[in-house]
Amino acid sequence: MAVLAAGGGRSLEESGGGDSGTLVIGSAPFTESRILAELYARVLEDAGYPTSIKTVDARELYEPALEKGQVDVVPEYAATLAEFLNAKRHGSDAAPVASPDVGTTMAALRKLAEPRGLKVLPAGKAVDQNAFAVSAEFAAKHGLKTLSDLGKSKQKVTLAAGDECAKRPFCQPGLEKTYGIDVAGIDPLDVGSVQAKQAVKNGKDEMVLTVTTDATLDQFGLVLLEDDKHLQNADNVLPVVNAKSAGAKGIEDALNKITRVLTTEDLTELNKKVDAERLKPVDVAGDYLKEKGLLER
């Protein structure tokens, strides 16, 4: 049984979801998900829907809860959720259904989600996907702005990433096949961790696997290289709701307000305010919504 970090430690089974008249918004335990949950909660409250936020440790816990209506709304990522549901339906060795094309990915996601009672709302411009960063000094020295530039430079790179990078198509094999990048080795450090970024800053490694909304790159003197040939799948940010408990048009309209406006740059900046400036997600979300004129009251 999954015990949530909020709501006085109540279990999912005890929390009741939308049946209690309150929309329960699920949040994963990392900064970006917490911010998105606060954004969703605030616009829903503004539209007249009482809300509560509950933090759940992992997708393996909150997705079944969403199906059961114990959680009503979650912020999600198109390609990642599509592959999660694909594996759940067809097994861990299933052929991939997500792609760099958001339309194709969304069609696959909806096909997998709808039979489970999930409603996938439209995807927005904000994308949080795997990305690769180098030191600003290394980029300037070799004239690098894109991953294609790195491939053409013929520079060998040691990549700070997890062990699985050597086998994952979006990581070492993809960098070599799609971009012709000479990956000399993998330094097995946690993805986007302080240690991994420090290794590139110190010159121990040349490149680090992180994400497009990493708000701390500046602190390490790092810059992202553009994925100009679209190696990464379309992990656009979007709300997913329980169709029965949270499928109303008013709920979709409220959530779409955020989806239409939020960009990758916005999300990176919001992450930075929490991670670097130590502001609270609830305050950061409220300020953003006011700044964008998304609240009516």
Side-chain angles (χ1 to χ4, degrees), residues 14 32 69 74 296:
E14 294 167 332
E32 186 168 290
V74 294
E296 295 179 10

Side-chain angles (χ1 to χ4, degrees), residues 62-278:
Y62 70 68
E63 189 279 329
L66 186 63
E67 289 187 26
K68 294 174 185 174
Q70 296 158 355
V71 171
D72 303 296
V73 183
V74 294
E76 263 293 1
Y77 303 91
T80 298
L81 182 59
E83 293 302 352
F84 176 84
L85 295 179
N86 184 37
K88 194 171 180 178
R89 172 70 179 83
H90 299 291
S92 58
D93 294 331
V97 295
S99 81
D101 179 75
V102 67
T104 301
T105 300
M106 287 292 289
L109 173 55
R110 288 194 167 112
K111 185 177 179 180
L112 289 161
E114 286 170 7
R116 295 183 174 276
L118 305 182
K119 183 178 180 182
V120 179
L121 302 190
K125 294 172 284 189
V127 180
D128 184 353
Q129 60 196 170
N130 295 306
F132 297 92
V134 298
S135 71
E137 182 182 357
F138 185 80
K141 181 178 179 180
H142 301 290
L144 309 179
K145 291 186 177 180
T146 68
L147 289 170
S148 287
D149 292 338
L150 179 56
K152 291 171 186 172
S153 76
K154 303 301 181 186
Q155 293 296 312
K156 288 187 177 183
V157 296
T158 299
L159 178 58
D163 283 330
E164 69 278 6
C165 177
K167 299 177 182 177
R168 295 286 174 88
F170 69 82
C171 207
Q172 182 176 350
L175 291 173
E176 292 172 339
K177 182 178 178 182
T178 303
Y179 289 108
I181 294 171
D182 189 349
V183 180
I186 303 294
D187 187 1
L189 297 168
D190 289 341
V191 175
S193 64
V194 169
Q195 292 84 356
K197 284 178 273 197
Q198 193 70 44
V200 176
K201 178 183 179 181
N202 294 343
K204 179 185 176 212
D205 302 325
E206 287 75 35
M207 190 159 71
V208 60
L209 171 62
T210 182
V211 293
T212 49
T213 58
D214 189 329
T216 64
L217 294 177
D218 286 350
Q219 297 176 28
F220 296 89
L222 307 182
V223 293
L224 290 179
L225 295 182
E226 182 190 346
D227 179 19
D228 53 307
K229 292 185 179 178
H230 306 292
L231 173 62
Q232 305 302 325
N233 285 335
D235 251 337
N236 296 62
V237 176
L238 67 152
V240 180
V241 305
N242 178 285
K244 184 178 179 181
S245 66
K249 186 176 185 299
I251 292 173
E252 180 172 353
D253 289 346
L255 293 170
N256 282 346
K257 284 184 176 183
I258 297 170
T259 302
R260 282 194 296 266
V261 172
L262 189 69
T263 65
T264 305
E265 291 73 24
D266 289 345
L267 202 46
T268 304
E269 187 59 31
L270 294 174
N271 287 338
K272 184 176 182 180
K273 287 179 184 296
V274 174
D275 287 338
E277 299 174 26
R278 302 302 178 193

